[in-house]
Every structure is written in C-alpha cells, then in structure tokens.
Amino acid sequence: MAPSEESALRLDAPNPEVTRDARDFGAYARTGGWSFALKVARSVRPGGQSADETPKVSAKEFAELAECSPERVMRYYKAWDKAADDGLVPHFEGLAPGEDIELPDADVWHTYYVSRSSATSERGAAIAEAAQAEGIRPTKALEVAENPTALRAAILADPSTAQAARHALLDRLKEDPALQTELARDIARTDDLKKAVATETRAADRIGYVRQIAEKGQIRTPAGQTLDAPAELRSEAERHLSLLDELDEGEDTGEWATEAYDTMKNMVVETVQADPELRVQERRTKFYSSLQKATKVFEELTFDDADDIYEDDMVQRLEKLQQAIGSCIAALRSAAPQQ
C-alpha cells in the first residue's frame, strides 16, 4: 500500500481513542484549566449546601474520587468562584453535574488560578498582584519567592538576572525606608562598596556641575560667585553633556565626567581672568569668604578655662596673627579712597 493511501485510510477511519485524545487536547488548548475547573464547579457542592439539596459531592469526596488532594481541588474551586464573581462564568448553583458550557479563553485562566498554597497568604497575594502588574503568571513569581536559594544562584551566575534584580531592588527602595537603611549600612560596612559609592558620587557631582552650566546657563567661580555663563562656555557644556547622556547604562562615566568637569573649570577660570572687573570681584569675594571663616572660628572660641588650656605657643601664634591682621588693615587703609 502506498503511503498516501495509508494516510487517507487513517483520516477516513481514525482510531476512537486517538479521536478522543485529540478532542480533549483541543479543548484544553482552547480553554486551559477552565475545562478542569468546570468539572469541579459542576460536581462539587458550594459551601452552605447540604448533600440532600444537590447530587454534587464535597471537595473531599471529589478529591478521593480523583485521587488527588482536597487542596488541589479547592484551588480550582476558588479560581472558578473568583471568575463567577466577575461574571465570566456561571455560579456553582447554576451548574449541574455533566453540564457543558462555553468556557473562557485559556489566556484568562492564570488571572484567577494560582497553583501554590502560598498565594493564599497576605505575602503571596502581594506577590501575585505584583506579578500580574508585570504581565507574568503569579505562579512564576511565587515559585521564585519560595526558592530564595535558587534566586541567589541565578543572580550570582547570570549577569542579566543580576541586572533585573538590581532594577527591582532600586524600585523597592523608593518605598521601603527600612530597606534603604539596611542597604546603606551594608555599603558603609563594605570597603569596596564604600569606595565605589564615593567614586560614583564624585562623578555625579561633576556631571551636575556641567549640567548646571548647560541647562541653567550659570557658572560658579572658584571664589563662589554665581554668574551667567558666556555663550561659548554654555555651548561647550551642552556638547559634553550630550556625550555623557549618550553613554550606555553600564558604561563607566567617571573618566568622561572628569574630562567634562576639568574642561568647564578651566574655561570658568579663563573667563574670570579675561575680564578685569571680574578678576577684581573674584579677589574681593575670596577675601570676604576667608575673612568670614576666620571670624566664625574666633567667635566660637571661649576662654572660661584659659587657665587649663594656656600654653606659651598659643600666645606667640596669636601675637603673630595680630601682627598679620595689623598689616592687612594698614594695607587696606592705605588703599582706601581719600575723602
């Protein structure tokens, strides 16, 4: 017999067992767990209904007949109950044993069914809700949550898993002050992490300096003056900032940030030096800043315990300082405009 003739024979008269399997497979492919949930919904009596009122059996009896656990039966039962509350399927009371109805699509099943008992806890419910928000099956998230050792192994072995964990942890930190404190403490106690944080903080500060010039058009001089940035300087800051913004997320920004920062600092100094009026104002600002710091230091000194702290060296240093201050006052007075 030719192969084509044999195939035609099989199609004309398929084996009944094969036909039943194919139909069962097709029904499950279309409806997923709904086909099994229907068997529970139409055969297990709802709570509050006695055996005398219905031919249905208890979940325990149904489980014994199915040779599985009552807990598994109840998970299908609860999934159907939730879907019925949403109007997706009929309530238990409206179904009779053996009755068939049109079932929802298979894709909807995992919105209502959670195969793990941990999902019934408050923690499990939160994980399931978060999983749905991320567009994944709750069972996947619950399985990971129940196997922290497996999660740790995946993070240690796989960079992409570590990246996903890092992003998730950062999102969690925004709303978890306790975790923020714990992580900060861990970093502070780990020398390598502490150095890495210091390096990244320095790079971020330098990028912030360049961004201030590019976006707000302002420069800060070495003496602390805040001035409008010249057009050329601002344009150069914008160029450096665009280069920094184009870096990939995992790329080291430290070297780029340092180059941009040093370039801007040098250009700021050149801008001040090129303008005589600015040069004078810069010196004046620097002098006032130093004077204010020195004044504050002396204002904070107390001499109630002078007898205890007295040393000859202290007096000698103060006398030298007094002479320097006297010279400073004399120089300023001689430069004062004549009245």
Side-chain angles (χ1 to χ4, degrees):
M1 184 182 295
S4 58
E5 293 176 355
E6 184 181 354
S7 299
L9 239 176
R10 285 203 302 269
L11 289 173
D12 290 340
N15 183 294
E17 298 294 331
V18 173
T19 300
R20 186 172 66 251
D21 283 348
R23 287 175 179 168
D24 288 346
F25 180 84
Y28 185 79
R30 288 189 303 274
T31 63
W34 292 114
S35 55
F36 294 109
L38 173 62
K39 298 179 189 299
V40 172
R42 69 191 183 189
S43 300
V44 175
R45 61 176 180 264
Q49 197 171 44
S50 67
D52 297 334
E53 300 176 60
T54 175
K56 298 181 180 183
V57 298
S58 67
K60 182 179 179 181
E61 291 176 85
F62 188 87
E64 289 173 353
L65 292 170
E67 297 183 354
C68 69
S69 69
E71 289 77 18
R72 179 177 292 273
V73 172
M74 286 305 299
R75 286 199 287 272
Y76 281 83
Y77 181 98
K78 289 174 181 177
W80 188 276
D81 192 29
K82 291 177 185 175
D85 287 341
D86 288 346
L88 204 63
V89 294
H91 285 282
F92 300 105
E93 293 81 359
L95 293 170
E99 181 179 356
D100 281 320
I101 63 168
E102 186 175 347
L103 294 170
D105 291 338
D107 293 343
V108 189
W109 170 245
H110 287 284
T111 304
Y112 295 95
Y113 176 77
V114 179
S115 63
R116 314 184 77 82
S117 59
S118 62
T120 59
S121 67
E122 184 177 344
R123 171 176 176 267
I127 293 171
E129 184 178 347
Q132 290 175 2
E134 294 289 336
I136 61 173
R137 295 178 178 178
T139 49
K140 294 290 186 183
L142 287 162
E143 183 176 357
V144 171
E146 290 179 7
N147 292 276
T149 304
L151 176 61
R152 172 183 166 83
I155 291 172
L156 290 174
D158 178 40
S160 62
T161 303
Q163 280 286 70
R166 180 174 70 85
H167 287 303
L169 189 59
L170 287 174
D171 289 341
R172 175 64 186 264
L173 283 170
K174 296 173 185 175
E175 300 177 358
D176 193 335
L179 185 59
Q180 291 176 17
T181 302
E182 290 172 10
L183 186 60
R185 188 180 295 124
D186 289 339
I187 291 172
R189 292 174 177 173
T190 308
D191 288 340
D192 290 343
L193 288 177
K194 192 162 56 175
K195 291 176 183 176
V197 169
T199 300
E200 290 301 316
T201 301
R202 184 166 57 252
D205 289 342
R206 290 177 170 178
I207 293 172
Y209 179 83
V210 178
R211 193 178 299 279
Q212 173 86 3
I213 298 172
E215 296 181 352
K216 296 187 178 181
Q218 292 183 326
I219 60 174
R220 189 172 178 83
T221 69
Q225 294 186 81
T226 300
L227 309 170
D228 290 335
E232 181 185 357
L233 199 154
R234 185 171 186 178
S235 176
E236 184 67 9
E238 289 172 349
R239 185 181 73 82
H240 279 282
L241 190 62
S242 66
L243 291 172
L244 288 164
D245 288 341
E246 288 173 7
L247 294 177
D248 295 333
E249 184 182 351
E251 196 168 350
D252 183 14
T253 60
E255 184 178 346
W256 292 86
T258 299
E259 181 184 347
Y261 177 78
D262 288 345
T263 301
M264 291 298 99
K265 291 285 283 186
N266 290 335
M267 290 187 72
V268 168
V269 171
E270 290 170 4
T271 299
V272 172
Q273 292 300 316
D275 187 326
E277 187 177 339
L278 267 181
R279 262 202 326 270
V280 171
Q281 184 60 35
E282 184 77 351
R283 291 179 62 192
R284 184 181 292 119
T285 303
K286 185 177 180 180
F287 181 88
Y288 269 115
S289 176
S290 299
L291 183 60
Q292 186 175 15
K293 290 176 183 176
T295 302
K296 185 177 180 181
V297 168
F298 275 92
E299 286 177 347
E300 290 176 351
L301 291 177
T302 59
F303 298 96
D304 297 337
D305 54 351
D307 292 341
D308 296 330
I309 65 171
Y310 172 83
E311 287 185 2
D312 290 340
D313 183 59
M314 290 182 183
V315 177
Q316 292 170 6
R317 291 194 180 199
L318 284 171
E319 288 173 345
K320 289 181 180 179
L321 181 59
Q322 186 179 38
Q323 292 172 4
I325 293 173
S327 299
C328 181
I329 294 172
L332 290 172
R333 281 178 174 167
S334 65
Q338 297 298 320
Q339 297 293 333

